[in-house]
Amino acid sequence: MTDTPQRIAVVGGGTMGRGIAQTALTAGREVVLCDVSEAVLDKAREAIDGGLRRLVDKGRLEADAAEAALARLSVTTRMADLADATVIV
Ligand SMILES: NC(=O)c1ccc[n+]([C@@H]2O[C@H](COP(=O)([O-])OP(=O)(O)OC[C@H]3O[C@@H](n4cnc5c(N)ncnc54)[C@H](O)[C@@H]3O)[C@@H](O)[C@H]2O)c1
């Protein structure tokens, strides 16, 4: 166990939230992304997937690390799902 936060919750899946989520994912964290809109969350997952692929294309991330990063992302419209996060942004 380290004292580095392992599970990061991000409220808002728009421009800022997806960027913060992607950064935390590439840093090896689990991320739960929360928005009031399912449609925004769908788009956020697509955008993060695209962002991770671009990092792979640029040689800044291994393909398997990108796949693992996306697998650490969960999305929700329920604030209650953030209760076990170590940090909420
Ligand atoms: N975009 C920037 O460059 C930038 C820079 C600095 C600060 N900010 C600030 O960051 C915040 C977010 O900006 P953004 O550009 O990502 O906005 P955005 O409009 O792209 O995203 C905001 C998201 O928050 C969601 N949301 C609203 N109320 C919510 C709630 N109660 N629970 C969960 N989700 C909710 C919306 O559905 C939307 O998807 C704003 O306060 C903005 O002023 C933005």
Side-chain angles (χ1 to χ4, degrees):
M1 192 73 182
T2 70
D3 50 12
T4 307
Q6 295 302 313
R7 184 167 158 85
I8 313 285
V10 181
V11 181
T15 307
M16 291 298 293
R18 356 183 133 169
I20 293 165
Q22 183 181 315
T23 300
L25 289 165
T26 55
R29 306 293 177 252
E30 263 182 56
V31 173
V32 54
L33 183 61
C34 177
D35 202 285
V36 289
S37 161
E38 293 276 4
V40 166
L41 290 171
D42 287 346
K43 284 190 185 154
R45 184 183 283 281
E46 272 175 37
I48 291 167
D49 187 22
L52 293 170
R53 283 170 197 272
R54 280 192 294 282
L55 290 176
V56 172
D57 290 346
K58 289 178 186 169
R60 290 166 55 191
L61 190 67
E62 296 294 331
D64 57 352
E67 197 178 323
L70 196 62
R72 286 193 296 274
L73 173 67
S74 60
V75 298
T76 184
T77 56
R78 291 162 21 97
M79 281 273 184
D81 292 340
L82 315 186
D84 63 346
T86 42
V87 168
I88 300 179
V89 182

